[in-house]
Amino acid sequence: MPVALITGVSGQDGSYLAELLLDKGYEVHGVVRRSSSVTRSRLDHLQSENLEDLHLHYGDLGDPLGLVRIIDRYGPDEVYNLAAQSHVAISFQQPEYTGDVTGVGAMRLLEAMRVAGSEARFYQASSSELYGSTPPPQSEVTPFHPRSPYAVAKLYAFWATVNYRESYGMHASNGILFNHESPRRGENFVTRKITRGVADIVHGKATELRLGNLDAKRDWGFAGDYVEGMWLMLQQDTPDDYVLATGEAHSVREFCEIAFGHAGLDWERYVVVDPEFFRPAEVDYLLGDPTKARTELSWKPTTSFEQLVTMMVDADLAA
């Protein structure tokens, strides 16, 4: 039975990845950060169904010795680093914390693997935010131009992964994932904010939804599709870096149109543009070129943009 270690296992991507690996017969160990309110709701169904194969451990990317202990004790074959302070807007409010956890934290995990003598294959969750203001489409050879503390931290983690690959011969790969969403997305991300806003309006709990830049364009896919790409990267003989994307871009305005329309509402009656939600440095247009992943990994998304939006709206309406 192969053994996988996932940091950030209680997040959106971590829960989908844990599902995938358990279905493939893995023993899965997840690292959970201790806080005053530990949220594991995304894993509840897995813990009830896979008690013998899913194990959760307290850990933190700010605690290198603790990481060494976990790696040394459980001897994973694959390590997926999905842990991060991953909200772009919050990174402007907590830039140092974001840099420490999202950036340096990745290096701590790589160094913990090296110190523990681990030969595990390593996956680093990189982000399309690395490209920032670089014109689309963006591929593995497109120059980076990060436009937020979050993106700067992810840039550090990206190059740390490359450096450990080149310096120590580690099987370490970066997945440069464009925006991927689901009903499990955090409620303060714009996509989930929209779908929850629709549900609140339908159920009479709100009369408006306040948003920032409606013209920002993103390449949006379904998180459940993207974790398959993460796994495929670590099945390759040679480590490398890959863009995962749909190859289509849609604006926040389009997202609103479909989300509200699916509930029988006119979005223009309810959406209010609020300058408070604009970024200090905007990222206007992210559009991925997934040719390399499609060619070398045989990976492609299976969920359309409209299917993604309506899936999220239906989930929030039901909730």
Side-chain angles (χ1 to χ4, degrees), residues 162-180:
V162 173
N163 184 253
Y164 272 72
R165 180 170 73 212
E166 295 177 350
S167 299
Y168 303 113
M170 294 176 66
H171 193 297
S173 297
N174 283 291
I176 308 173
L177 273 58
F178 280 66
N179 294 61
H180 45 290

Side-chain angles (χ1 to χ4, degrees), residues 28 41 91 96 98 123 137 146 161 173 183 199 235 254 263 271 297 305:
V28 176
S41 59
S91 77
E96 185 176 352
T98 301
Y123 171 84
T161 301
S173 297
Q235 310 317 304
E254 289 177 80
V271 174
L297 304 179
F305 176 66

Side-chain angles (χ1 to χ4, degrees), residues 38-234:
V38 181
T39 302
R40 301 179 181 177
S41 59
R42 297 182 181 95
L43 300 172
D44 286 346
H45 64 296
L46 294 178
Q47 289 184 286
S48 63
E49 297 170 7
N50 299 278
L51 293 178
E52 294 183 357
D53 298 333
L54 177 63
H55 311 272
L56 302 181
H57 314 284
Y58 286 121
D60 196 304
L61 291 184
D63 176 20
L65 184 56
L67 296 174
V68 171
R69 287 181 180 136
I70 291 173
I71 292 166
D72 185 59
R73 179 172 181 179
Y74 299 107
D77 301 295
E78 298 171 4
V79 175
Y80 296 85
N81 183 33
L82 310 184
Q85 190 302 99
S86 58
H87 197 280
V88 174
I90 292 174
S91 77
F92 283 101
Q93 301 170 35
Q94 296 185 298
E96 185 176 352
Y97 173 76
T98 301
D100 182 58
V101 174
T102 305
V104 180
M107 187 188 67
R108 290 193 188 102
L109 183 54
L110 285 160
E111 181 66 4
M113 291 174 63
R114 189 187 72 81
V115 169
S118 173
E119 296 183 359
R121 298 185 174 194
F122 177 82
Y123 171 84
Q124 168 60 29
S126 290
S127 168
S128 60
E129 290 285 336
L130 294 174
Y131 298 113
S133 59
T134 305
Q138 294 103 2
S139 72
E140 294 83 1
V141 297
T142 302
F144 297 135
H145 188 158
R147 297 265 288 174
S148 67
Y150 167 75
V152 171
K154 281 292 187 181
L155 186 64
Y156 184 102
F158 176 93
W159 285 115
T161 301
V162 173
N163 184 253
Y164 272 72
R165 180 170 73 212
E166 295 177 350
S167 299
Y168 303 113
M170 294 176 66
H171 193 297
S173 297
N174 283 291
I176 308 173
L177 273 58
F178 280 66
N179 294 61
H180 45 290
E181 318 295 324
S182 76
R184 301 180 193 175
R185 188 55 140 158
E187 295 175 9
N188 56 353
F189 288 83
V190 67
T191 51
R192 189 76 193 289
K193 185 177 178 180
I194 293 169
T195 59
R196 277 187 60 85
V198 169
D200 285 344
I201 290 169
V202 168
H203 290 296
K205 296 182 178 180
T207 58
E208 66 177 24
L209 175 63
R210 306 185 79 84
L211 299 172
N213 183 8
L214 300 183
D215 295 319
K217 291 185 176 181
R218 295 291 185 270
D219 186 327
W220 274 303
F222 173 50
D225 291 337
Y226 283 54
V227 295
E228 177 82 19
M230 299 178 188
W231 176 77
L232 285 169
M233 291 179 207
L234 297 199

Side-chain angles (χ1 to χ4, degrees), residues 201 207 256-257 259-271:
I201 290 169
T207 58
C256 289
E257 289 174 354
F260 278 85
H262 184 60
L265 301 174
D266 178 0
W267 73 275
E268 292 183 293
R269 292 182 55 190
Y270 301 99
V271 174

Side-chain angles (χ1 to χ4, degrees), residues 283-298:
V283 173
D284 296 318
Y285 198 169
L286 295 177
L287 171 63
D289 177 1
T291 301
K292 182 178 178 181
R294 185 170 59 244
T295 303
E296 298 186 10
L297 304 179
S298 298

